[in-house]
Amino acid sequence: MNATPSFGPATAIGSLPGTDAREAAKTATGSFEDFPFLPELPARGPGADMIGRTAGLLVELYARVEPSGWRLGDRPGRDTRRAVSWLGEDLDALEEFTQGYQGPLKVQAVGPWTLAAALELRNGEAVLSDPGACRDLAASLTEGLRLHLAEVRRRVPGARLVLQLDEPSLTAVLLGRVRSASGYRTHRAVDRQVVESTLRDVVGVQAGGPVAVHSCAPDVPFALLRRAGAAAVSFDFSLLTERDEDAIGEAVEGGTQLFVGVVPGTDTALSDPAGSVMGVRTLWRRLGLQPGLLAEAVTVTPSCGLAGASPAYARQALAHCVQAARSLADNPE
């Protein structure tokens, strides 16, 4: 288990609306002066979406867009090159707006199990259907992430990198709910120990730096993620149920950071910032956790990515996260 690392009080999940890399980097660094992130802009098209972007990081595995989604192929094609090119643009923009920056900086990639559920083999079935292919994919992803993190460190040398693995399909993988290509059946549930050990291997790429695992699906497996070495778990607070509470209490007491998604990801009227985190304070009291731990253990985020929001709302939501985090720090009780 990593020692409790220092995260910022608020950040975003990853995606923003629009197609302008410089505008996105300016927003990501300007909104979060003490915990900026590398933005993703899915509106640019295939290769800028989260699956395509991560497929572009893979080493010695290549993917292309088919009508059904991303499929592994024999050689890098136009879609892979586009993904690599857009990531390069995003890194150029981030580098420009982080001159002299020192502190935590978050980068995101899709985790091994959501990637295995989304990427197709040549036969059209998910990589998830083939245990050997899952192992190869995880190894390729790990090597790709190692290279990516080294590149970000080179461009922003003062940053302490936080790697976020996006795993929205993890619960479906564990419960055997990922649909086959035909849609008539589901893939068999993957053994929890296999899921955990694969995640542990990928988390290990950070070499002592913190890894957060994000899922905006219900039933986030908090205990499994902690055992796999995640220093932080990122989730949609509105999806929590009573049965999650003990796992959250144990996570906090074990030094795990919570990235708490409390600000809606699509346009809506926002309440006052203190109201947005009222439920977090209430949960804290119910679990009997020390109020003083609250601002230390919680990073405030939107509930999911902001790609579906209007640009004006996205900026407002990010500012709202900062104000809500300040409210938690000022009034933990």
Side-chain angles (χ1 to χ4, degrees):
M1 176 76 190
N2 295 324
T4 305
S6 151
F7 296 101
T11 192
I13 298 302
S15 66
L16 290 176
T19 58
D20 184 329
R22 287 188 76 256
E23 186 60 37
K26 186 178 174 184
T27 298
T29 55
S31 301
F32 302 111
E33 292 175 2
D34 38 19
F35 198 4
F37 65 103
L38 174 64
E40 300 166 7
L41 299 173
R44 291 184 293 199
D49 60 298
M50 68 183 219
I51 299 299
R53 186 181 185 91
T54 301
L57 295 174
L58 297 175
V59 172
E60 294 181 1
L61 283 179
Y62 312 105
R64 64 177 186 273
V65 178
E66 297 285 342
S68 54
W70 284 89
R71 183 173 297 181
L72 293 176
D74 295 323
R75 61 183 68 82
R78 183 184 60 215
D79 299 320
T80 304
R81 285 195 293 273
R82 192 189 295 126
V84 170
S85 169
W86 274 330
L87 178 57
E89 268 182 43
D90 294 338
L91 287 170
D92 289 344
L94 182 74
E95 185 177 2
E96 178 185 344
F97 286 98
T98 50
Q99 294 296 310
Y101 175 72
Q102 296 195 319
L105 169 69
K106 186 165 71 69
V107 297
Q108 308 80 224
V110 177
W113 293 108
T114 296
L115 201 58
L119 279 181
E120 297 174 358
L121 296 166
R122 289 171 184 80
N123 65 5
E125 280 298 350
V127 170
L128 191 64
S129 64
D130 181 332
C134 287
R135 285 192 294 274
D136 291 346
L137 181 63
S140 172
L141 174 63
T142 303
E143 187 53 34
L145 287 172
R146 184 174 285 116
L147 296 171
H148 178 49
L149 291 168
E151 175 67 7
V152 181
R153 282 190 195 99
R154 184 184 70 74
R155 289 169 176 265
V156 194
R160 296 193 309 277
L161 292 191
V162 176
L163 171 63
Q164 175 182 303
L165 295 175
D166 292 321
E167 283 283 13
S169 301
L170 183 61
T171 301
V173 167
L174 288 165
L175 297 178
R177 291 180 182 162
V178 177
R179 294 215 160 272
S180 65
S182 68
Y184 292 123
R185 60 182 186 84
T186 54
H187 294 291
R188 190 180 308 161
V190 180
D191 181 270
R192 293 181 83 85
Q193 288 184 316
V194 173
V195 169
E196 185 183 318
S197 69
T198 301
L199 274 169
R200 189 180 298 112
D201 289 345
V202 179
V203 165
V205 76
Q206 251 285 58
V211 174
V213 179
H214 166 70
S215 172
C216 48
D219 301 319
V220 175
F222 287 92
L224 183 152
L225 295 176
R226 289 176 58 221
R227 289 195 304 271
V233 180
S234 169
F235 57 96
D236 179 345
F237 188 77
S238 72
L239 298 179
L240 288 186
T241 64
E242 273 185 36
R243 66 173 176 270
D244 295 313
E245 292 188 2
D246 286 346
I248 288 176
E250 286 169 19
V252 172
E253 288 175 341
T256 303
Q257 186 86 2
L258 304 179
F259 286 19
V260 179
V262 293
V263 179
T266 50
D267 293 41
T268 188
L270 293 173
S271 70
D272 70 296
S276 294
V277 285
M278 185 75 73
V280 182
R281 285 196 190 90
T282 303
L283 173 63
W284 222 252
R285 279 198 298 273
R286 218 166 38 239
L287 292 174
L289 295 166
Q290 295 173 349
L293 264 179
L294 191 50
E296 244 174 72
V298 168
T299 294
V300 177
T301 72
S303 56
C304 214
L306 292 165
S310 67
Y313 175 79
R315 286 191 293 273
Q316 186 188 356
L318 300 184
H320 195 88
C321 288
V322 172
Q323 292 159 352
R326 196 170 295 136
S327 161
L328 273 187
D330 292 346
N331 304 299
E333 300 186 65

